[in-house]
Amino acid sequence: MTKRLQLFAHAVQAGELAEKELAPFDSTTLLGRYFRFSIVSLYNKQLGAPLTVQDINTLENDFPDLHAEHQVLTTYLSNSSEAEKITALETLLSHAEAEGWARLVRWLTALLVELEMATGNYGHALFRLYEEIDFAPDIALNGTHFEYPLVLMRQDMAATLYYLGEYQKSLDYCQQIAVPQPEASEIMLQGKLCEIRAQIRLGQHDTALASLQILLPLLTASEYNVDALTILRLHAEALLGTERLEEAREAALKAYERLNASGTPPAKDIFNISLLLAQVYLKHGNPEEAARFASDAEQSIESLENSKYHIRALLRTQGEIAEASGNYKIALAHFNNLYNQIHTSLPTIPWDKVKQISSKLDEQNIEDLILKKQSYNDNHNFLKALIIILSILLTISLIIVYKAARTKNQLEYLSRADPFTSVYNSWASLNIIEKELSREKLGSLALFNVSNLPHMAIKQDKLKNIATLIKSNVGKRCVIGRYSGTTFVIWFPQTEYSKAYQHLQHIRRICIDYSSNDCSFDTARYEFSFSQVHERSNLLKIIEECQYKLKEKIYE
């Protein structure tokens, strides 16, 4: 057995499995053939050098523990679905526990934890780990493919708690992994990355950045490496959490460049980096670029093993992007989908099994879990009754609020609209222009006058038609109001002097064409004056100047 583990560890380190290394396992003996089968299958991650039916029967009779191991390998490396593998391995686990095969129990636990984490069943994975962690051997990693060492179990425990949202408990296990260990620098690095990941989720961004400053100098130039990519991604996430947006963008783009250095990077890395860039550009106020990277993340999600966890992060980001873009209907659809995902894929907790845990798990944790369950049941019944009552009250309140809001909107409209032309009145238009100027910092303000308009034409709503004509020929962000009599005020945001002049000339030509086709007011004359405005300008003084210029034009 020891020879088999040593050979496997050597082959994994060397990156190849030489036929001469298999020579010690004599193919003329049953055990030799079985050990060849197990090593080749595990190394290639698919069944190889299969045994005959007679070999399998003899193995069952003479070496029952190895026969069980053979069943485990055959099940785990088969093409069955994850659910079928879990069911079959649970049966084998029960048999191994009954026979007292401790090594097989730990190995089966490791395989089941791996499968349940891959399918998002973190609750079951967590309690398997709680049952076995006190019995895990503190051994070197040479035997990890036929054992479940303590360090790897702690690593899985940290990951499971992280995905369940228990970031503080995850951090505690990460710190146990990150302590210095002889000949285990890779495990220490994984522990440190695990620790940083949990710190970021807990909002300890400065602590995470301090740890990352030690790791960043270890990165090689620009070649693709999973750990290097993780370090760059976590660095960008920590910077983003401290609102250092430009630095976060640069760090995320470095990670993106590193990702593209690989011909075919893993789907998980494509998803993580794409989603990170989507979040960075969203914080930068660039929802279009954020949506592009979110789309890249969505395309890669189908290839991920643990898509349940990742799709929730994607839906949340897509909802925020849609909201930032003003697509509230799409945003609502994403958030509704997110709600359904969270409430249909929460891990099921085997409560009855909690009471039977034989490990040294803190009893307070168990009591807390049971109390949470009881509290959940009580709250669930209470919430049912409360929801019914609130639904009735909400319906009544919505009717009242709707009527009040409708009345308020009508009153607000009447207070802001000019009743004769349906554009803003003088007070409302100047108030809006003042707010727009403080936001836009620059624009052009114009007075547009209609003179020589017959009184009959005014009665026939010709002035209202002119107001509508002007409104339909300015931009959506422009503001138009009736300043006084037959004079309109127009605000062109972020528009320079020459551009504003072109707009006004265009409006004037359209109005002249309109009145020339109607003999009832073909004598109408259109003049305008305007001025460029910046945030320090005195708005009332500029309007007075425009009025003075306009009068000069009218009486020329």
Side-chain angles (χ1 to χ4, degrees):
M1 187 74 71
T2 304
K3 178 64 178 174
R4 177 174 59 156
L5 299 181
Q6 291 173 347
L7 171 57
F8 190 85
H10 179 268
V12 170
Q13 290 174 1
E16 61 180 353
L17 185 63
E19 181 65 29
K20 65 180 182 180
E21 292 175 321
L22 290 171
F25 302 109
D26 187 357
S27 60
T28 62
T29 66
L30 171 62
L31 285 182
R33 287 193 295 276
Y34 173 68
F35 286 143
R36 280 173 175 260
F37 159 79
S38 62
I39 292 169
V40 172
S41 297
L42 276 174
Y43 182 79
N44 295 323
K45 296 184 180 178
Q46 62 182 16
L47 297 174
L51 301 181
T52 64
V53 174
Q54 183 179 352
D55 279 345
I56 294 171
N57 292 334
T58 306
L59 201 65
E60 183 178 10
N61 294 326
D62 297 344
F63 306 97
D65 59 331
L66 293 181
H67 177 261
E69 185 181 281
H70 177 271
Q71 288 180 294
V72 174
L73 276 168
T74 307
T75 302
Y76 185 68
L77 296 175
S78 69
N79 295 321
S80 305
S81 67
E82 279 81 356
E84 291 172 331
K85 288 180 181 178
I86 288 172
T87 303
L89 291 178
E90 280 180 335
T91 303
L92 291 167
L93 176 61
S94 299
H95 180 60
E97 287 173 337
E99 294 292 336
W101 295 331
R103 180 183 62 82
L104 272 181
V105 168
R106 288 192 293 270
W107 186 38
L108 279 161
T109 300
L111 298 179
L112 283 165
V113 167
E114 181 182 348
L115 285 169
E116 284 169 339
M117 288 178 68
T119 53
N121 294 317
Y122 300 112
H124 288 283
L126 178 66
F127 283 101
R128 288 191 197 282
L129 289 163
Y130 271 143
E131 286 185 321
E132 292 298 325
I133 196 163
D134 290 323
F135 307 110
D138 195 2
I139 58 175
L141 299 184
N142 289 349
T144 55
H145 289 85
F146 293 94
E147 274 283 10
Y148 201 3
L150 180 61
V151 66
L152 290 186
M153 201 173 285
R154 284 173 175 166
Q155 194 170 328
D156 285 344
M157 182 74 86
T160 304
L161 288 165
Y162 176 86
Y163 286 127
L164 284 170
E166 295 285 350
Y167 301 123
Q168 184 57 57
K169 291 180 181 178
S170 176
L171 178 60
D172 294 341
Y173 278 100
C174 293
Q175 288 170 340
Q176 293 177 40
I177 304 166
V179 296
Q181 301 176 46
E183 300 180 3
S185 57
E186 175 62 25
I187 290 294
M188 284 175 58
L189 174 61
Q190 296 306 318
K192 182 57 70 175
L193 293 175
C194 167
E195 186 179 333
I196 293 167
R197 192 180 294 113
Q199 287 167 343
I200 290 172
R201 292 295 174 268
L202 288 167
Q204 301 171 10
H205 300 107
D206 291 333
T207 307
L209 283 170
S211 298
L212 284 162
Q213 291 305 321
I214 300 171
L215 298 179
L216 285 169
L218 303 178
L219 301 180
T220 53
S222 60
E223 63 187 50
Y224 175 80
N225 176 279
V226 174
D227 292 335
L229 196 66
T230 303
I231 292 169
L232 287 171
R233 176 171 60 82
L234 292 176
H235 187 224
E237 286 182 11
L239 289 169
L240 190 63
T242 56
E243 297 296 324
R244 292 156 66 177
L245 302 183
E246 190 55 38
E247 290 178 73
R249 188 177 71 85
E250 289 176 6
L253 287 173
K254 280 182 183 177
Y256 189 65
E257 289 174 7
R258 185 76 63 115
L259 179 71
N260 290 331
S262 169
T264 53
K268 182 180 177 181
D269 289 339
I270 296 172
F271 177 86
N272 286 333
I273 300 301
S274 299
L275 193 67
L276 170 62
L277 279 164
Q279 292 164 348
V280 168
Y281 279 107
L282 183 61
K283 279 284 187 79
H284 265 275
N286 190 343
E288 294 82 9
E289 196 68 8
R292 182 171 75 83
F293 282 106
S295 176
D296 292 345
E298 186 173 17
Q299 290 173 17
S300 65
I301 203 165
E302 293 181 0
S303 304
L304 297 177
E305 285 186 343
N306 184 11
S307 59
K308 285 182 183 178
Y309 173 79
H310 293 88
I311 200 168
R312 294 201 290 269
L314 176 64
L315 286 170
R316 190 182 303 280
T317 302
Q318 286 178 325
E320 290 171 352
I321 292 170
E323 187 177 5
S325 304
N327 298 324
Y328 300 112
K329 187 176 180 180
I330 296 174
L332 182 61
H334 283 308
F335 286 126
N336 279 335
N337 199 357
L338 173 63
Y339 177 86
N340 294 333
Q341 282 284 333
I342 291 173
H343 288 81
T344 56
S345 61
L346 279 175
T348 54
I349 307 295
W351 295 103
D352 294 334
K353 205 169 184 180
V354 175
K355 299 173 186 176
Q356 302 169 5
I357 292 178
S358 58
S359 67
K360 298 175 184 177
L361 171 65
D362 183 3
E363 292 181 5
Q364 186 61 47
N365 284 351
I366 300 175
E367 290 176 10
D368 288 346
L369 290 170
I370 295 171
L371 287 173
K372 281 181 184 179
K373 180 196 176 186
Q374 292 171 346
S375 175
Y376 172 79
N377 291 336
D378 294 340
N379 290 340
H380 186 65
N381 294 330
F382 173 74
L383 285 173
K384 273 186 177 179
L386 186 62
I387 287 169
I388 294 170
I389 296 169
L390 288 177
S391 298
I392 296 169
L393 293 174
L394 182 62
T395 304
I396 297 170
S397 301
L398 284 174
I399 294 170
I400 296 170
V401 169
Y402 172 74
K403 289 184 176 180
R406 188 176 178 184
T407 304
K408 182 184 175 183
N409 288 339
Q410 288 173 341
L411 290 172
E412 188 176 345
Y413 173 76
L414 291 172
S415 69
R416 292 158 63 92
D418 175 60
F420 198 70
T421 59
S422 297
V423 295
Y424 289 119
N425 58 31
S426 178
W427 172 83
S429 56
L430 292 181
N431 190 34
I432 293 170
I433 290 170
E434 192 170 4
K435 288 180 181 177
E436 288 290 310
L437 178 60
S438 65
R439 187 168 64 88
E440 299 287 348
K441 313 298 183 188
L442 180 70
S444 294
L445 185 140
L447 292 179
F448 191 90
N449 178 263
V450 186
S451 58
N452 290 345
L453 191 63
H455 183 66
M456 184 57 69
I458 296 175
K459 284 186 176 181
Q460 293 173 350
D461 287 344
K462 300 300 182 184
L463 190 63
K464 183 178 180 179
N465 293 344
I466 292 170
T468 304
L469 200 62
I470 296 171
K471 191 174 180 180
S472 63
N473 282 278
V474 295
K476 289 183 179 179
R477 293 170 58 206
C478 295
V479 179
I480 176 172
R482 186 183 181 194
Y483 182 68
S484 65
T486 58
T487 302
F488 297 94
V489 60
I490 307 173
W491 165 253
F492 299 97
Q494 289 290 324
T495 306
E496 296 179 352
Y497 190 89
S498 59
K499 196 71 175 176
Y501 178 77
Q502 292 175 10
H503 286 318
L504 289 164
Q505 283 284 35
H506 175 68
I507 294 168
R508 185 170 179 270
R509 283 195 298 272
I510 289 172
C511 290
I512 291 171
D513 290 342
Y514 173 67
S515 58
S516 63
N517 292 326
D518 191 334
C519 59
S520 65
F521 71 117
D522 55 0
T523 59
R525 183 180 172 193
Y526 304 93
E527 298 293 348
F528 62 83
S529 65
F530 68 102
S531 178
Q532 193 160 9
V533 186
H534 54 79
E535 60 179 328
R536 290 192 293 270
S537 301
N538 186 323
L539 200 58
L540 293 177
K541 186 176 179 181
I542 287 174
I543 290 176
E544 286 178 6
E545 291 174 358
C546 287
Q547 280 182 300
Y548 180 76
K549 294 176 186 176
L550 190 60
K551 284 180 182 178
E552 285 184 338
K553 286 188 175 184
I554 293 171
Y555 296 115
E556 280 180 356

